[in-house]
């Protein structure tokens, strides 16, 4: 699974790098005066990011910071865990009055998430998307995809259990929080100032393939964020200029001049009925829809292009394509203080990059993504300064080498070393390096992998968050950083502590295997190299003749040939349609053929997936239990 990666300039202190939405959109922009506001950004990075964020949430809970969060901006893996956390907060705020809510309530929320999230994800979300015959059959139709399937799993395994009394599945419009004892028409931008436990705004970020812009899901509405009125171009003057040929640009400084903007409505009640009940899990799936691994999440019937007389089918992919830390949302929501948890996969360096066409394309894509990440962080640093930002990332405290060129005498100066400082927060450099390379995936994570990520974030964030709480101006009325709310029972992830700063060979081997997207079980169990081929050969030997006989009796050869031709046309039609116009006539049939071929592949693979889920996945999860790890 590719990694998609708010942001600030590092401060060097004691040898380590330091970095000192219920509603959004139009409703927020109409608020002219907003008080100091704490925003929390949870980056993308698959389940690796989700587990890392749990460690940051645990540290924030102990430091009594979570009560103060007013905006939560999430991307991809951050959306998976951020939505779960938000549902627990909604349940808390609507069951207790503000005066009765304590910091311990938030500690208990994170404690619950720490346990429940790992138990759910151990069942392997990614593989489960392929394990249902019924779902795989439905995938031959154009209105159902792997993204829809994984959304169903998110809802059933994670979200519905928190709020079982609401709709099934939970809808975005049901996320509005109406705090117990609060105003009848509670509005976070108007009424949070008088509350001790703030009602947060949750924004789930995706990316629109139609326009390339950020697409936001909130409890109020969905769509591309509106441009502030003061930054819009005057339509009349723009149209009058140059005989009306200058395009109307709806973004700051005439930069974003794309011809359309898919603006959000005032609320779900103002959009077409078919999309008013948009499920939370589908919004999360869109935010975490990694290109190439999952089909884009489609939103149909919401817009029409009146000028072109065409329906607009919105196609959404991973929010990390546009902004993997969710910073833009926090700035748009006028946050003044920021906690950014960044578990994205950062770009590696290569001494001799490959120069083939495909490697160069992949490498340049990674460079562009890295540039987006850097510019986002610089935007935050340049617009907000550094004293109101706490920033945690997976490569914090690792060694950096500055390499100098060879001189005219063929001599090269020694590298300038900026030594690793992660030992200051209790993590060995080789462990921090290994954690930064853990796969960006949605498969099963073991206790060793998940607890390592949680404890790493928990320890890494301690000093930064304490410093943030003492110096950020939005925290002036909060309890001092020295006053903590310790959990009544120890964090489960604390059990990995003996290894994270003193790794042995068994632990290091598990971290190495954890970096692999595929083949982890094969690396852990050498006997599978023999067992799997035996199973495949046996299946072919016993089932092969029956399958061939069935095909001969049920499917004539000419049907297979015609299907293959239709599939080929489906692949070539978009490129040749302008040359051979008649190919457009075959496009509907070609789309159907393509769907049939895809569904057939899924069905054939379902048996293997079920075998994997029943036997291989439990083996991999169990070998990674904490109590089976060799003691240091």
């Amino acid at each position: 699974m590719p990694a998609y990666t708010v942001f600030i300039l590092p401060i060097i202190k004691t040898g380590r790098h330091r970095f000192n939405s219920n509603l959004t959109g139009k409703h927020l922009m109409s608020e002219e005066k907003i008080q100091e506001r704490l925003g929390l950004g949870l980056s993308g990075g698959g389940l690796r990011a989700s587990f890392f964020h749990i460690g940051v949430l645990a540290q924030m809970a102990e430091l009594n910071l979570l009560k103060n969060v007013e905006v939560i901006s999430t991307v991809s893996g951050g959306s998976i865990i951020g939505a779960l956390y938000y549902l627990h907060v909604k349940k808390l705020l609507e069951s207790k009055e503000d005066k009765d809510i304590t910091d311990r309530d938030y500690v208990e929320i994170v404690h619950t998430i720490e346990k429940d999230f790992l138990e759910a994800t151990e069942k392997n979300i990614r593989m489960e998307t392929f394990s249902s015959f019924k779902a795989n059959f439905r995938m031959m139709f154009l209105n159902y995809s792997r993204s829809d399937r994984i959304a169903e799993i998110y809802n059933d395994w994670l979200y519905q259990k928190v709020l079982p009394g609401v709709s099934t599945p939970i809808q975005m419009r049901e996320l509005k929080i109406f705090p117990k004892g609060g105003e009848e028409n509670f509005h976070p931008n108007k009424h949070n100032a008088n509350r001790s436990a703030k009602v947060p705004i949750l924004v789930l970020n995706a990316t629109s393939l139609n326009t390339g812009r950020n697409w936001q899901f909130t409890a109020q509405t969905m769509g591309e964020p509106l441009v502030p009125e003061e930054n819009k171009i005057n339509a009349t003057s723009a149209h009058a200029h140059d005989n009306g040929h200058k395009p109307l640009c709806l973004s700051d400084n005439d930069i974003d001049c794309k011809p359309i903007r898919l603006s959000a409505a005032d609320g779900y009640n103002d959009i077409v009925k078919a999309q008013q009940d948009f499920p939370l899990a589908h919004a999360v799936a869109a935010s975490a829809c990694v290109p190439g691994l999952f089909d884009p999440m489609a939103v149909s019937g919401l817009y029409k292009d009146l000028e072109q007389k065409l329906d607009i089918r919105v196609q959404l992919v991973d929010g990390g394509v546009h902004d993997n830390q969710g910073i833009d949302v926090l700035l748009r929501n006028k946050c003044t203080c920021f906690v950014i948890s960044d578990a994205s996969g950062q770009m590696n360096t290569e001494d001799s990059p490959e120069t083939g066409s495909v490697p160069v394309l992949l490498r340049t894509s990674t460079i562009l993504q890295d540039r987006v990440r850097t510019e986002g962080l610089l935007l935050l640093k340049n617009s907000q300064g550094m004293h109101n930002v706490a920033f945690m990332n997976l490569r914090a405290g690792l060694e950096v080498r500055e390499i100098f060129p060879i001189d005219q005498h063929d001599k090269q100066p020694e590298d300038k070393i900026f030594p690793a400082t992660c030992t200051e927060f209790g993590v060995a450099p080789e462990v921090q390096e290994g954690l930064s390379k853990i796969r960006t995936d949605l498969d099963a994570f073991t206790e060793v992998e998940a607890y390592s990520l949680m404890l790493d974030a928990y320890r890494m964030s301690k000093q930064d968050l304490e410093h943030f709480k003492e110096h950020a101006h939005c925290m002036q009325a909060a309890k001092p950083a020295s006053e903590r709310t310790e959990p009544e029972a120890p964090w489960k992830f604390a059990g990995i502590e003996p290894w994270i700063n003193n790794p042995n060979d068994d632990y290091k081997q598990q971290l190495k295997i954890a970096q692999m997207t595929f083949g982890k079980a094969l690396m852990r169990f050498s006997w599978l190299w023999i067992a799997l081929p035996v199973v495949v050969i046996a299946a072919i030997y016993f089932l092969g003749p029956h399958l061939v006989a069935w095909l001969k009796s049920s499917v004539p050869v000419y049907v297979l040939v015609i299907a293959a031709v239709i599939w080929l046309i489906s692949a070539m039609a978009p490129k040749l349609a302008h040359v051979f116009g008649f190919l457009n006539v075959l496009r509907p049939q070609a789309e159907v053929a393509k769907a049939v071929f895809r569904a057939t592949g899924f069905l054939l693979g379902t048996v293997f997936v079920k075998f994997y889920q029943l036997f291989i996945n439990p083996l991999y999860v169990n070998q990674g239990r904490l109590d089976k790890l060799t003691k240091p």
Side-chain angles (χ1 to χ4, degrees):
M1 175 186 287
Y4 292 103
T5 355
V6 212
F7 314 86
I8 55 217
L9 188 69
I11 305 172
I12 306 300
K13 183 173 183 179
T14 63
R16 66 170 290 199
H17 296 287
R18 291 188 49 82
F19 291 86
N20 278 8
S21 335
N22 274 340
L23 307 171
T24 190
K26 182 182 293 185
H27 295 273
L28 178 63
M29 296 305 175
S30 65
E31 297 293 325
E32 296 186 2
K33 186 176 181 181
I34 296 180
Q35 303 299 316
E36 301 291 356
R37 172 173 277 190
L38 173 59
L40 172 62
L42 302 178
S43 81
L47 293 185
R48 176 189 66 198
S50 300
F51 288 118
F52 185 87
H53 299 328
I54 290 174
V56 173
L57 290 173
Q59 188 65 244
M60 293 182 70
E62 286 193 17
L63 282 168
N64 312 312
L65 286 170
L66 289 179
K67 286 177 66 175
N68 299 282
V69 173
E70 297 195 52
V71 183
I72 306 173
S73 176
T74 66
V75 183
S76 194
S79 292
I80 299 173
I81 196 67
L84 182 62
Y85 169 74
Y86 180 88
L87 290 176
H88 280 283
V89 172
K90 172 180 170 67
K91 184 177 180 180
L92 170 66
L93 299 183
E94 292 183 345
S95 62
K96 282 188 175 185
E97 293 194 15
D98 188 49
K99 62 183 177 60
D100 299 324
I101 296 174
T102 67
D103 291 300
R104 183 161 302 281
D105 290 322
Y106 289 85
V107 172
E108 292 307 313
I109 285 177
V110 183
H111 237 312
T112 300
I113 290 175
E114 174 200 29
K115 172 180 175 290
D116 293 349
F117 190 75
L118 179 58
E119 287 182 356
T121 56
E122 279 181 343
K123 293 184 286 187
N124 201 324
I125 292 174
R126 168 165 53 84
M127 291 297 284
E128 190 67 19
T129 61
F130 300 94
S131 70
S132 168
F133 284 106
K134 179 181 178 181
N136 288 344
F137 178 78
R138 289 183 63 192
M139 288 178 193
M140 74 172 60
F141 303 103
L142 299 181
N143 62 346
Y144 189 81
S145 69
R146 279 178 288 175
S147 297
D148 295 291
R149 172 63 178 152
I150 202 170
E152 294 169 352
I153 295 171
Y154 289 148
N155 184 74
D156 295 343
W157 290 8
L158 295 172
Y159 305 138
Q160 201 73 49
K161 295 178 179 179
V162 182
L163 296 177
V166 298
S167 301
T168 303
I170 298 173
Q171 302 164 12
M172 287 301 304
R173 64 196 301 179
E174 293 177 307
L175 296 188
K176 291 181 182 178
I177 296 176
F178 299 98
K180 186 175 182 179
E183 290 77 358
E184 182 177 355
N185 295 314
F186 187 89
H187 192 306
N189 295 333
K190 297 177 180 177
H191 304 127
N192 258 343
N194 298 323
R195 290 185 57 86
S196 172
K198 307 298 185 184
V199 174
I201 295 168
L202 175 67
V203 184
L204 306 171
N205 294 279
T207 303
S208 166
L209 287 180
N210 304 67
T211 65
R213 296 192 185 95
N214 171 232
W215 177 282
Q216 299 174 3
F217 291 97
T218 73
Q220 177 71 18
T221 188
M222 62 180 174
E224 296 177 9
L226 297 178
V227 176
E229 290 294 332
E230 62 270 19
N231 293 339
K232 288 186 178 181
I233 307 299
N234 182 275
T236 303
S237 61
H239 182 75
H241 180 70
D242 197 19
N243 296 321
H245 294 296
K246 180 180 178 180
L248 175 61
C249 303
L250 298 178
S251 190
D252 298 355
N253 304 318
D254 294 341
I255 295 173
D256 184 356
C257 294
K258 290 187 281 292
I260 64 171
R261 177 177 292 275
L262 304 176
S263 296
D266 284 352
Y268 286 105
N269 289 335
D270 296 328
I271 64 176
V272 63
K273 287 188 176 181
Q275 296 294 357
Q276 288 181 2
D277 298 332
F278 199 91
L280 164 65
H282 279 69
V284 171
S287 178
C289 190
V290 178
L293 183 62
F294 294 101
D295 299 319
M297 178 65 70
V299 181
S300 303
L302 193 57
Y303 303 94
K304 288 182 180 291
D305 190 327
L306 300 179
E307 181 179 310
Q308 300 296 326
K309 296 181 174 60
L310 294 172
D311 292 334
I312 295 177
R313 185 176 173 88
V314 181
Q315 298 286 2
L316 302 175
V317 295
D318 196 298
V321 175
H322 189 274
D323 175 6
N324 204 34
Q325 286 69 31
I327 299 172
D328 183 64
V329 164
L330 299 180
L331 294 173
R332 282 178 176 271
N333 281 268
K334 303 189 184 302
C335 292
T336 58
C337 301
F338 307 82
V339 174
I340 307 302
S341 178
D342 181 11
S344 60
Q346 297 181 38
M347 179 178 169
N348 65 317
T349 58
E350 297 181 2
D351 288 345
S352 299
E354 294 186 46
T355 57
S357 298
V358 173
V360 168
L361 285 173
L362 293 175
R363 187 66 174 170
T364 51
S365 176
T366 302
I367 293 171
L368 288 171
Q369 198 62 43
D370 187 70
R371 180 64 175 169
V372 170
R373 178 182 182 275
T374 302
E375 287 302 312
L377 285 167
L378 291 175
L379 172 64
L380 182 63
K381 174 258 177 182
N382 291 333
S383 63
Q384 302 296 321
M386 297 175 288
H387 62 289
N388 289 324
V389 179
F391 176 64
M392 288 68 65
N393 76 98
L394 270 172
R395 293 196 59 83
L398 288 175
E399 177 184 285
V400 176
R401 292 183 297 126
E402 185 175 356
I403 300 176
F404 300 97
I406 300 171
D407 63 21
Q408 68 270 28
H409 303 295
D410 278 342
K411 293 183 178 180
Q412 182 172 340
E414 293 292 327
D415 296 345
K416 184 177 181 181
I417 306 294
F418 297 88
T421 56
C422 52
T423 53
E424 294 181 11
F425 53 84
V427 179
E430 60 265 44
V431 172
Q432 190 64 59
E433 183 73 35
L435 293 174
S436 73
K437 295 178 179 179
I438 284 184
R439 64 195 181 281
T440 307
D441 207 342
L442 300 175
D443 64 343
F445 276 58
T446 67
E447 286 182 354
V448 169
E449 297 164 355
Y451 289 166
S452 295
L453 287 163
M454 293 182 204
L455 183 59
D456 179 51
Y458 176 81
R459 287 190 161 185
M460 177 192 300
S461 60
K462 181 177 184 295
Q463 186 177 355
D464 284 326
L465 289 173
E466 287 177 344
H467 183 271
F468 168 81
K469 190 174 181 183
E470 292 289 356
H471 296 88
H473 53 67
C474 62
M475 294 286 102
Q476 297 308 307
K479 299 176 182 178
S482 58
E483 186 173 341
R484 304 177 67 90
T485 303
E486 301 288 345
E488 294 181 354
W491 300 107
K492 289 183 177 296
F493 60 72
I496 200 71
E497 183 174 4
W499 290 270
I500 202 167
N501 195 34
N502 185 28
N504 58 8
D505 290 341
D506 184 19
Y507 180 69
K508 287 189 284 187
Q509 176 67 7
Q510 292 207 39
L511 285 189
K512 184 177 180 181
I513 293 175
Q515 298 171 24
M516 302 172 61
T517 301
F518 302 104
K520 295 182 292 297
L522 288 172
M523 292 297 296
R524 194 63 181 169
F525 306 108
S526 57
W527 54 266
L528 280 176
W529 290 98
I530 300 175
L532 283 181
V534 169
V535 171
V536 172
I537 292 171
I540 293 174
Y541 179 80
F542 289 107
L543 300 178
H546 300 286
L547 179 61
V548 172
W550 177 79
L551 286 174
K552 286 182 178 179
S553 62
S554 304
V555 185
V557 175
Y558 71 86
V559 172
L560 298 177
V561 173
I562 292 174
V565 170
I566 292 177
W567 177 84
L568 182 62
I569 290 174
S570 74
M572 298 299 295
K575 297 180 181 179
L576 299 179
H578 68 286
V579 179
F580 304 103
F582 70 89
L583 289 178
N584 285 320
V585 178
L586 296 176
R587 188 167 292 178
Q589 294 87 340
E591 290 297 329
V592 172
K594 189 190 302 183
V596 170
F597 271 94
R598 182 175 61 179
T600 302
F602 289 163
L603 289 170
L604 292 176
T606 302
V607 174
F608 170 76
V609 172
K610 283 189 172 295
F611 172 81
Y612 185 93
Q613 288 291 76
L614 284 172
F615 300 103
I616 307 300
N617 189 70
L619 277 176
Y620 182 73
V621 169
N622 288 330
Q623 63 80 32
R625 297 290 181 199
L626 199 59
D627 57 10
K628 295 186 178 181
L629 189 59
T630 305
K631 300 296 182 182

